[in-house]
Amino acid sequence: MLRRTAEKLKETIEGNQRFIHRWTHIMLPGMVLVAAVAVFNADFDLVRAFQLKVFDQYQRSAPRPYDPGLGVRVIDIDDETLAKLGQWPWPRTLLADFVARFSGQVRVVAFDAIFAEADRTSPRELARSLPASLADVKARLAGLPDSDEVLARAVKAAEREGTSVMMGFSLVHEHGARLPALKRGFNISGPDVSAYLPSFTGAIVNRPLLEAAIAGNGSINSNPDLDGVIRRVSLVFRIGENLYPSLALEALRLAAGADQNYILKSAGGSGERTYGATSGVVAVRIPVEGAPLTIPTDSEGGVWLHFTDPFVPRTIPAWKLFDKGFDPAELGGGIAFIGTSAAGLKDLRATPRNPTAPGVELHAQIAEQVIGGHFLERPDYADQIEKIFFIVLGVLLIALMNRLGAAWCALLTAGSVSLVIWLSWQAFNGAFGGRRLLFDPVLPSFVVLAVYITSTLVGYLRNEAEKRQVRGAFSRYMSPDLVEQLAQDPSRLKLGGEVREMTLMFSDIRGFTTISEQFDAHGLTTFINRYLTPMTQVVLDHGGTIDKYMGDCIMAFWNAPLEVPGHPLNACRAALAMRRDLVALNAGWEAEAKAANRPFIPIHAGIGLNTGPCCVGNMGSDMRFDYSVLGDDVNLASRLEGQSKSYGVDVVIGPNTKAAAPGFAVLELDLIKVKGKTVPVHIYTLLGDEKLAGDPRFQKLAGRHAEMLAAYRGQRWDEASALMSECGKDADALGLGLGKLYHLYEDRIAACRAEPPGPSWDGVFTATSK
């Protein structure tokens, strides 16, 4: 009975497997399609980000044509203006003169600015700052007209000449003492949409006297997307139950001469077709007698911006208005938005066409779009159309894949994607009924491509994904041939290790703390990257692998996991190349320091090389591991690098490296017990390649140097000192810079003369530091 049950269970499992295999070409693409619908319905930020990037590209490819006849201008308080007229904020008296220059020349002057504080140059403010001993002066100053009054009178005077002046306020998520003055309210046509509007709890407003004098008051807030780019601007905002217009909307009302409340039309309101949206704003109307201005919006009362080219003659530097030769006709006669492009005033915004657009330009762009009747819309039915589109195409592709094969379905996929993109582009350009509509071609295209790829290349994609993952993870610190080998066989990336002979390198900048004090965080990061990049490239070019970076220190190794014949030779050549590259880097840094008028501190790096058996492999935990190396010879390489400073040389190598790399210009430094070790080792300095080693002058130096060490270890102090003097001269003639090394031995000899070490002394020096 048990056997029959087991056999039946086996048959059931095998049947299920055959069923899955038979229907995989439908099930897997079908799962992709279902997942796509789920992702689409979930409205992930990543999906929306793709959409926005496509819309950005449309804007770059087809910007809105600029029409100077629309009468919208930006008066730019740029850096040149600030240099000529003084720093911002300007005295209210200068602003009054500024406003007067627009009087009768434009319909609206809109300040993209807030005058929330008293003018520090006003007579009353100056009076408050004077000591009590100057009572007469204080009284006279207090009797003079306040600067706010002067500006308010200029505003009223401009209004009498047919020029309305308005200012901005900033909405904040803090409770303020006073709400902005509302010049005109809102009537809602349809269900209440207040909950859909951007909501705030307080505001930064203008001085009461100024707020009472101006004809309009609007919010200067902008609402960037998650990537910090502004593509839409809200026209209506909310504080509690109060609704407030944006600066651009209020300017349009004043320019149109509208004296009634705005009308906020909501989904489901009279005459509004929503095609899927259940609620929210659909339009804002400015009730102008005979020709109301209707502005289509998204559900939150926002308008999509269709930007012009950033370099159009919309902008007039503010200083030109004070120039005697300025022609007022250049103001256009419509709306003049006053703002700043000066970087120091921090009103620059990122847009699809300009990463540093002045914030005031956003208001001008909206005003132009409304006056010109030029709108971009993301209709409320767009999501449904896109969803239906990719579902129909996906199902059709799944149905035809098994019949037509991959080649014909590839043509179908390419045609479908091209059709989606073409339709989206045509909609953007107003080919369907004149409305410029934003439809996303990215998700439908992605779904169609995903269905095709899943049906034909599941196994291939799995392998390629593993290869890409390996290449991405290791290409920055492993040599390319190793990366490619691991990409071909990712199974090697498992915990474990092996013992093999390797050459280790440690390289560290000397005096890095002092050097780092010259830089801020950004500058230090730039500096260290400029150093590590060429040093890393040298290691990789010589067949090495970067193990890790530890601040300014580089740890590298040779001969694992790929075998590198002659790896000690490669490591020595890499060390010499790093010295040469550091000379070039220092030259560049010195030139930069001179140009910046700051002291130059030359960069010196110590390098330690050692060869020996080590344990190498992927070490770590099941969650994370690194390909690294362990062993006594690794520690010795690190200690050798640390001793380079003590002996005044750039490269210190161990005895195994010296023996495995004959032919280089090498001098013995010492017989030393490094910190943490009990057995002394002979250590050497690497000074040059075979060319230097074959130089007769170096060979002479090497012989004398060996004699000097023999005399030193034999306690023949006079002989050692004499030889040391000759060695120093020989080294200087070759430009080897061994002065610190020979001074070190002079000091040791002096100490030994003062306190003789005794007959049992073996010449070993015990290091007390790493």
Side-chain angles (χ1 to χ4, degrees):
M1 182 69 179
L2 182 61
R3 181 178 178 181
R4 288 197 301 270
T5 302
E7 290 176 349
K8 186 177 181 180
L9 178 60
K10 181 180 180 182
E11 291 176 358
T12 302
I13 293 174
E14 290 177 348
N16 290 339
Q17 290 175 341
R18 287 193 297 271
F19 174 83
I20 292 173
H21 178 74
R22 181 180 301 171
W23 294 99
T24 295
H25 69 281
I26 293 177
M27 293 174 58
L28 290 180
M31 292 171 61
V32 170
L33 198 57
V34 171
V37 174
V39 169
F40 194 91
N41 291 336
D43 196 22
F44 287 119
D45 291 337
L46 182 60
V47 174
R48 293 305 177 193
F50 281 136
Q51 292 177 342
L52 295 176
K53 294 302 182 184
V54 173
F55 299 156
D56 289 351
Q57 188 57 48
Y58 286 173
Q59 296 241 21
R60 298 186 189 102
S61 301
R64 176 172 58 86
Y66 172 67
D67 182 2
L70 298 176
V72 178
R73 299 291 185 271
V74 170
I75 311 303
D76 185 12
I77 303 173
D78 56 5
D79 289 315
E80 188 175 2
T81 297
L82 296 176
K84 291 184 176 184
L85 301 180
Q87 67 179 17
W88 186 265
W90 289 342
R92 302 283 198 269
T93 52
L94 178 57
L95 285 171
D97 185 15
F98 192 41
V99 168
R101 296 175 186 272
F102 294 95
S103 184
Q105 305 298 329
V106 295
R107 293 186 63 82
V108 179
V109 175
F111 280 93
D112 181 19
I114 307 171
F115 303 101
E117 299 177 352
D119 183 358
R120 64 182 184 275
T121 66
S122 69
R124 294 178 187 175
E125 291 299 314
L126 291 174
R128 290 192 184 98
S129 66
L130 294 177
S133 59
L134 298 175
D136 291 343
V137 178
K138 290 170 67 72
R140 291 177 184 177
L141 288 173
L144 295 175
D146 184 68
S147 295
D148 283 351
E149 296 175 359
V150 175
L151 179 54
R153 285 199 296 268
V155 168
K156 290 296 185 183
E159 189 169 2
R160 289 192 294 271
E161 295 295 325
T163 298
S164 299
V165 179
M166 63 171 296
M167 296 177 182
F169 55 82
S170 178
L171 299 174
V172 296
H173 293 287
E174 299 174 3
H175 293 283
R178 187 165 62 87
L179 295 179
L182 188 61
K183 301 297 181 176
R184 292 295 181 272
F186 286 83
N187 297 329
I188 300 178
S189 173
D192 185 20
V193 291
S194 299
Y196 289 85
L197 301 174
S199 177
F200 297 85
T201 57
I204 302 172
V205 299
N206 293 288
R207 302 266 290 173
L209 183 61
L210 299 177
E211 200 171 51
I214 56 179
N217 206 16
S219 168
I220 62 175
N221 292 67
S222 58
N223 47 332
D225 290 311
L226 291 176
D227 58 359
V229 177
I230 296 177
R231 302 175 178 90
R232 289 165 286 188
V233 172
S234 296
L235 297 182
V236 188
F237 301 86
R238 178 169 67 90
I239 301 179
E241 297 181 356
N242 298 319
L243 304 185
Y244 295 91
S246 70
L247 188 79
L249 184 63
E250 186 80 333
L252 288 165
R253 179 187 68 81
L254 293 174
D259 202 31
Q260 303 177 40
N261 286 348
Y262 299 99
I263 297 175
L264 204 58
K265 300 180 73 64
S266 62
S270 176
E272 296 301 326
R273 294 181 295 173
T274 60
Y275 302 102
T278 57
S279 55
V281 184
V282 295
V284 177
R285 178 172 292 175
I286 300 175
V288 182
E289 191 68 29
L293 291 175
T294 300
I295 309 170
T297 70
D298 60 19
S299 62
E300 298 177 350
V303 175
W304 286 83
L305 289 160
H306 190 183
F307 292 92
T308 63
D309 189 274
F311 305 105
V312 295
R314 176 193 298 117
T315 301
I316 302 172
W319 65 265
K320 284 192 174 183
L321 274 73
F322 293 86
D323 191 80
K324 292 182 179 180
F326 178 71
D327 182 4
E330 294 183 31
L331 294 174
I335 305 174
F337 288 95
I338 300 173
T340 179
S341 65
L345 297 184
K346 299 180 180 179
D347 191 29
L348 301 179
R349 304 288 185 265
T351 71
R353 290 194 56 85
N354 187 355
T356 56
V360 65
E361 187 178 298
L362 304 176
H363 309 300
Q365 298 265 10
I366 281 292
E368 288 177 350
Q369 288 183 215
V370 174
I371 296 171
H374 184 113
F375 300 103
L376 276 183
E377 300 176 61
R378 171 77 172 164
D380 50 17
Y381 54 83
D383 285 346
Q384 302 303 320
I385 292 292
E386 292 160 4
K387 189 190 303 183
I388 292 171
F389 199 11
F390 75 69
I391 289 176
V392 171
L393 289 174
V395 170
L396 181 63
L397 192 59
I398 292 172
L400 296 177
M401 179 67 70
N402 206 35
R403 295 183 179 182
L404 300 181
W408 284 104
C409 285
L411 292 177
L412 175 62
T413 301
S416 301
V417 170
S418 299
L419 177 64
V420 170
I421 295 174
W422 182 82
L423 290 173
S424 175
W425 175 250
Q426 293 301 314
F428 177 82
N429 285 287
F432 307 118
R435 296 176 65 189
R436 293 172 176 82
L437 305 177
L438 293 171
F439 287 100
D440 168 33
V442 173
L443 188 55
S445 301
F446 175 78
V447 172
V448 173
L449 288 171
V451 169
Y452 170 76
I453 292 171
T454 305
S455 299
T456 58
L457 302 172
V458 171
Y460 173 79
L461 286 179
R462 184 186 300 115
N463 293 335
E464 286 300 304
E466 290 179 347
K467 291 178 182 179
R468 285 195 301 271
Q469 183 179 5
V470 170
R471 292 188 184 102
F474 294 98
S475 61
R476 293 182 180 272
Y477 59 92
M478 285 188 177
S479 52
D481 50 356
L482 171 60
V483 173
E484 193 57 35
Q485 180 176 333
L486 292 178
Q488 296 300 325
D489 186 12
S491 63
R492 298 188 63 174
L493 297 176
K494 297 179 180 178
L495 293 180
E498 59 178 321
V499 175
R500 63 166 60 190
E501 184 180 84
M502 303 176 63
T503 298
L504 297 309
M505 171 189 282
F506 283 83
S507 175
D508 196 9
I509 295 177
R510 296 177 189 160
F512 183 69
T513 302
T514 302
I515 295 169
S516 64
E517 292 172 352
Q518 298 182 89
F519 302 98
D520 57 16
H522 175 73
L524 183 60
T525 301
T526 302
F527 164 77
I528 199 64
N529 288 344
R530 285 183 63 186
Y531 169 77
L532 291 176
T533 299
M535 299 299 111
T536 298
Q537 192 60 52
V538 168
V539 172
L540 297 181
D541 289 344
H542 288 81
T545 296
I546 300 297
D547 185 302
K548 60 177 67 73
Y549 301 108
M550 297 165 284
D552 60 308
C553 177
I554 301 173
M555 178 181 173
F557 54 76
W558 278 258
N559 204 40
L562 292 179
E563 292 188 1
V564 181
H567 53 89
L569 294 171
N570 286 3
C572 290
R573 297 191 193 283
L576 294 175
M578 291 168 73
R579 291 179 62 200
R580 290 193 297 270
D581 284 6
L582 185 56
V583 172
L585 283 174
N586 272 317
W589 283 322
E590 184 177 12
E592 292 174 9
K594 289 181 180 178
N597 196 24
R598 57 178 170 80
F600 168 65
I601 301 178
I603 307 303
H604 299 286
I607 299 174
L609 296 177
N610 190 45
T611 302
C614 305
C615 179
V616 62
N618 293 295
M619 302 177 188
S621 66
D622 290 332
M623 286 76 73
R624 178 178 177 179
F625 55 85
D626 292 312
Y627 194 82
S628 190
V629 60
L630 296 173
D632 286 342
D633 285 287
V634 179
N635 298 331
L636 179 57
S638 175
R639 297 294 186 266
L640 295 182
E641 180 278 318
Q643 293 302 317
S644 64
K645 182 177 181 181
S646 302
Y647 290 91
V649 295
D650 293 334
V651 185
V652 179
I653 66 175
N656 294 339
T657 305
K658 191 258 185 185
F664 285 86
V666 173
L667 293 179
E668 183 179 355
L669 290 175
D670 208 347
L671 179 61
I672 184 175
K673 289 181 183 177
V674 297
K675 189 173 179 63
K677 297 290 183 179
T678 58
V679 179
V681 294
H682 291 275
I683 62 174
Y684 304 83
T685 180
L686 176 64
L687 298 171
D689 57 13
E690 294 88 346
K691 182 178 179 181
L692 178 61
D695 190 324
R697 295 175 298 169
F698 179 79
Q699 294 174 354
K700 177 183 176 183
L701 167 64
R704 283 181 174 173
H705 184 85
E707 292 174 7
M708 181 274 294
L709 288 178
Y712 167 75
R713 292 167 183 161
Q715 303 187 40
R716 302 190 300 273
W717 311 126
D718 292 338
E719 181 184 348
S721 293
L723 288 168
M724 206 176 303
S725 177
E726 295 299 321
C727 288
K729 294 177 183 177
D730 293 342
D732 291 342
L734 289 168
L736 298 180
L738 298 177
K740 184 173 182 178
L741 171 65
Y742 292 123
H743 285 306
L744 173 67
Y745 273 99
E746 287 284 7
D747 293 341
R748 288 189 187 176
I749 289 173
C752 289
R753 281 172 170 165
E755 295 183 14
S760 62
W761 182 61
D762 55 5
V764 173
F765 175 74
T766 302
T768 58
S769 64
K770 295 182 180 181

